[in-house]
């Protein structure tokens, strides 16, 4: 596992000789698991990416049906086709990527580069060795030329991109509890036929889940924020997509919301997929359908323990999955991070 | 202002000689502001209450239109009719109740008892003097025979009924921040023609508001929890009704979730409008359409600062408004608290 | 199959000697399939019915979990218990009722009366022989004392109760097409874990289905409206419950909307579950959560072919299923039709 | 008023000398009424159009706030700025466009070309003289070089593009009633602060409106389909955007659904904004967020009067407003119709 503070895993030049500003001849790519919600979004983005050629998007259950890529129906998952593309995106159900990765990388032949959007190789999974953790704005040096990328979870993307610069800058009082109250649209749970995800169960409802710090994404957050006393409480929203994270951040004495915003400015200025909204909390409708992460921080009045209120919003299928995967593709090849993603 | 720990304001016997178990001759009641969301719900409940006769429900804008009370169309607000009922429910826009109360109580004639569902006379409003704060399960002794009741806000109802027993029992570390992350359906904002409450703005969206501890309900919570370091962050849910409050409660050493649940058991056992759900957080769909408050508490694993996670759920129009108002009516007259409310 | 115009199937006196106006000793009843959407609603209504005692509500998948009947958890389906109640409600998946009915009615012992809410024994199913079709307001004479009732489908309930009086009165030009455009909330499809009923597929969407006159409910409508040239086109609404049916009715010369309304008045005056709304089309929110059918009829301006626009609205789980089943129970025993149902 | 069968209003060459396949120097354009739902969508599309430069988008109520065009905040409506662009899009409230048009076109100076998205100059409005009706695929010859375009209503766009080819081909029995049952998302009603458009009123609801053939769009449809006996019944859907129209089409003897599909094929083959879906009815989610009109036709089984079922789906803000306006811009200048619109 290459953690964000490690040196680059390899020379970016080895990945591509293409001029970073204009697309060269397109790179062949493929998608395994293209008909889940994440796979549909990855397929949609890759079909319009200026520097790739989408060779296939596979689906066991919808083989032959039209995919979101014009003219490219879903195909059955095919190990031969998978091995022949230059970059392979894994959008399989959690737990199914590990076997594909092992098969491809132990085949004796040069395997495709892999961007794994499942939870199988993320920090805290036990299988993270050998994978670059693709927290894009934070891991970009390690991503250049990377052969194998573990794409972050949707919730950790917001929490980590919010908090890493602040912890780094020494603003956070890590001895006190950092409280993350999060809410996600239902596509975050995947496209599986579960009774609890039926329209009639989700509409008009709102509920906490994974309570008591039992959500698996917490392991991923903790691996990157080892000293922080984290509480993570997710809720299920009656919307198709989008995540908000409202964070009560325990800060050191004399740290205020403007110090938080300055840290982000310093770190994310010029980043096209990060939108700093200033002295307010961003709403879901500012990010849904985009690949943006929106961040804001406000002062808390009338509290005795020093704390700052941080808000993050992202589309779980955009910056929380497909958008970041495409940014990671761009980082591997040294292309501009905004190629193929939606920043407005 | 009679705070919860004060003695009863008056002798309950003075309110009614009716047998507490079976309705006697019905008490005449009326509703001012019957066509807002709260007023509609109060009208609906009073129309079915076994011990009252609803004489009128008024609406400036919908005069003559059918109300939810069968056979009782909305009437124009009428000071004479208002003065002639025995109990008057004020469901007016915030800010409009104070003038009615002053006019009725300074008329020289015996005024009706008043249950004010607006924010005008709640703790922290500056006008709370003379009003019993109707946090029903907590204020019942003061409510017996009360002439003037300030019905609590929807958010404070859940926060206060959750926390008061725990603070009382000494479980809470009041020096540390108590974090309340809340979410409400849109009827909590009233039935006013505001662009930001249009369907197309609210659907598919979720957003924080009143950030930085600026929501007016915080004053009401603080008045009742004076020593507690409170942070209250509300969000707007794309649902018509219902509130959840997820509270990170800083507890003293050795206090765990079961101690929290025991405090509630001791205080609320036998209360028909309180549902203790145990070792989990309640969901919106357990309470919407009812007059229940559901409470649960779970242990937090892997945190260093001792804290317990508390969840409260209620219908903002039920226990958060009309249901509690009807409970308060019942308390004034010494009737069973479940008369006229929906506990299942 | 006893069609509506047949004489009563049996003497109502044989069903119950109870005084029709006040409940006597409660009749033991049970529900098979209590955890589907229809079963939940039937359980909810029976738990509050003044003249029955709900002995059990069964669920294979949720055995032991709380049901909507206070204090009555779901039990496993049990043939012995099923045989011992006086009235058994079948809320099973379509296709599973027939075997239960056959087993119970061929056991040699006196079977319970059966109210079958599945499609298994409805007109047009091929298995309707021996069942009284429980189109309540229309079939009441046949329902008195009935042993076996096939409860109508949700869509046919609205179409048939709208059109039967009009056809009977000779208002309809049966040679021309009667166009029914209908829309239903998703609970109409049952509580099965199907991908196409997931929140993320249904929200923000609206789609026709069963197009080209292929919906199975059409057989049921045609059996009762044999001469009418019917077109029935249903759509799936992004709401949990409720049905509207907008009908373009080809009328004979000189027939207008007021003639339509007069026919309904003559037939349905005094019926508590029918609400005649007059010269407009009823909306979903007038009936959701109730057991009402709302009917309206309006004149069409500027058309050359004579036609009247008819609107029907009902809750598919209320009047379209559980509410009508309870009305049918009431009819069997000669109880008032409003017992246990929600008419406001 | 130039009806579709008239000759072109002017020489397309006079509008622009630009090569039709690659954008030349951008045309300056502006939007009046940019913060309504239609105006937001027009602003969004024009900001990305390859051949125009969006100079301003105005909003009285949101002056100074960010618009969807990056870097272009809303400005106050300004007659000088309006007169200086080459093409002006009017997205004002209905009734406010007429005065602007009159002022601009009678100023003595050469006015901008105008594309009016309000109802003010549509057929049947009484003010249609001088305007080309911009039913794009049907009116394209008249649009070349047009100075003043009345953009069609959302409902008429679907009805007319469906039916005009069929009437033209003689497939329709115009003596019999053509029944259009339509449903629209709430943005179709505009972004006005009306109580009946609040989230809590629209969610979980579905209702007919404009019943009895009283919707103003019917005038527009009839002007283009003068001989057809039309019934148009719209409904309000609990979704932000999208329209479906289910049409029962009375056809001449021996005309079937495949004849309908063939007529569309002949007329619309190669049209990027028309998607012919074949032997089924299209769903809302196939078109929302796009500028497509989807059309399908299916055979009706078991009916005596010959009829074909036609389904149309479009986004009321896309093909039903902004998308068609951009197509009309393209037609004025002879650019490819797909420039700036979303066809997938």
């Amino acid at each position: 596992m290459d953690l964000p503070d490690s040196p680059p895993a390899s020379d970016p030049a080895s990945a591509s000789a293409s001029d970073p500003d204009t697309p060269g001849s397109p790179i062949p790519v493929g998608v395994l698991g293209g008909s889940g919600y994440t796979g549909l979004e990855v397929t949609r983005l890759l079909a319009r990416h200026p520097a790739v050629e989408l060779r296939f998007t596979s689906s066991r259950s919808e083989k032959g049906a039209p995919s979101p890529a014009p003219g490219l129906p879903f195909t059955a998952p095919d190990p031969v086709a998978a091995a022949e593309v230059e970059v392979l995106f894994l959008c399989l159900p959690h737990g199914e990527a590990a076997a594909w990765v092992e098969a491809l990388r132990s085949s004796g032949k040069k395997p495709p580069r892999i961007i794994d959007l499942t939870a199988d190789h993320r920090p805290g999974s036990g299988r993270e060795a050998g994978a670059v953790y693709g927290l894009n704005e934070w891991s970009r040096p390690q991503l250049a030329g990377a052969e194998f990328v573990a794409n972050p979870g949707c919730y950790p993307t917001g929490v980590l991109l919010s908090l890493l610069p602040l912890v780094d800058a020494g603003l956070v009082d890590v001895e006190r509890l950092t409280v993350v109250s999060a809410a996600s649209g239902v596509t975050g749970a995947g496209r599986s036929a579960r009774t609890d995800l039926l329209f009639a169960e989700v509409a008009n409802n709102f509920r906490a889940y994974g309570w008591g710090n039992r959500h698996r994404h917490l392991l991923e957050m903790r691996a990157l924020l080892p000293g922080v006393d984290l509480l993570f409480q997710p809720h299920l929203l009656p919307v198709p997509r989008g995540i908000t994270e409202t964070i009560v951040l325990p800060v050191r004495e004399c740290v205020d919301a403007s110090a938080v915003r300055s840290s982000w400015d310093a770190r994310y200025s010029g980043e096209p997929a990060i939108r700093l909204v200033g002295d307010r909390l961003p709403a879901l409708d500012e990010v849904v359908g985009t690949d943006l992460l929106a961040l804001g921080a406000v002062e808390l009045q009338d509290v005795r323990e020093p704390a700052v209120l941080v808000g993050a919003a992202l589309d779980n299928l955009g910056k929380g999955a497909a958008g970041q995967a495409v940014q990671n593709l761009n980082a591997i090849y040294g292309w501009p991070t905004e190629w193929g993603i939606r920043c407005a």
Side-chain angles (χ1 to χ4, degrees), chain A:
Chain A
M1 177 86 224
D2 294 306
L3 288 174
D5 52 349
S6 313
S10 64
D11 179 0
S14 73
S16 167
S18 68
D19 171 343
D21 291 327
T22 55
S25 83
I27 300 294
V29 301
V31 177
L32 287 178
S35 65
Y37 292 125
T38 295
L40 287 165
E41 198 81 356
V42 168
T43 300
R44 202 170 280 130
L45 293 186
L46 291 176
R48 308 183 322 186
H49 192 285
V52 307
E53 182 196 344
L54 179 59
R55 288 280 171 85
F56 67 86
T57 179
S58 78
S59 169
R60 261 191 313 241
S61 58
E62 302 195 18
K63 188 186 131 183
S67 86
L72 199 69
F74 290 117
T75 52
D78 172 2
V80 175
E84 284 175 355
V85 292
E86 195 163 318
V87 187
L88 184 66
F89 291 79
L90 303 183
C91 305
L92 302 159
H94 298 305
E96 295 188 16
W100 277 93
V101 169
E102 198 179 314
L104 287 162
R105 292 174 67 91
S106 65
S107 70
K109 310 199 321 178
K110 175 166 167 35
R113 297 176 198 274
I114 291 172
I115 297 179
D116 179 8
L117 287 95
T118 76
D120 291 9
H121 301 92
R122 292 180 191 152
S125 68
R127 294 203 207 84
E128 60 264 47
V132 176
Y133 182 57
L135 188 70
N136 186 268
E137 283 76 7
W138 206 259
S139 317
R140 212 169 283 145
Q142 294 84 345
L143 287 162
E147 295 292 333
F148 180 24
V149 176
N151 214 56
C154 48
Y155 286 125
T157 293
V159 170
L160 294 173
L161 290 176
S162 305
L163 299 189
L164 280 169
L166 312 180
V167 172
D168 243 38
L171 306 184
V172 182
D173 180 352
V174 295
E175 293 311 309
R176 287 160 51 211
L177 209 50
T178 293
V179 175
V180 181
S181 182
S184 174
V186 288
T187 53
R191 197 183 185 190
S192 47
R194 286 164 40 186
T195 305
D196 64 333
L197 301 179
L198 292 177
F199 181 87
E201 312 288 321
V202 172
N204 302 311
N205 201 359
F206 183 62
R207 61 181 177 85
Y209 64 101
W211 46 66
N213 260 357
R214 281 171 180 79
H215 195 283
R216 72 173 158 201
H217 280 175
L218 192 58
L219 295 174
E220 187 177 341
M221 298 178 201
R222 283 206 173 117
L224 279 286
L225 293 166
V228 177
D229 195 17
L230 263 188
L231 188 167
F232 173 66
Q233 182 52 56
H235 300 75
L236 184 68
L237 274 174
V239 304
R241 47 201 284 175
I243 284 176
T244 62
E245 296 172 314
T246 304
I247 306 176
V248 182
L249 189 73
V251 290
R252 292 190 201 281
E253 291 293 339
C254 305
V255 170
D256 61 8
S258 80
V260 165
R261 293 191 296 263
S262 297
S263 281
W264 290 336
D265 282 336
R267 182 79 204 193
Y268 296 131
S269 167
E271 284 292 349
I274 310 277
R275 176 168 294 170
L276 303 176
V277 303
D279 185 23
R280 63 180 184 85
L281 302 187
L284 217 60
D285 66 358
E286 301 178 56
V287 295
V288 166
T290 79
D291 298 302
L292 294 170
L293 170 67
L295 297 178
V298 301
E299 210 59 38
L300 283 165
Q301 68 180 20
D302 297 328
V303 292
R304 295 197 300 267
E305 280 207 316
V308 166
L309 193 67
V310 164
L314 67 161
D315 187 327
N316 54 300
L317 299 178
K319 180 65 175 171
Q324 186 155 243
V326 169
Q327 286 188 280
N328 289 338
L329 169 74
N330 295 339
I332 291 172
Y333 287 96
W335 298 330
T337 196
E338 66 271 26
W339 277 10
I341 67 168
R342 299 152 299 183
C343 298

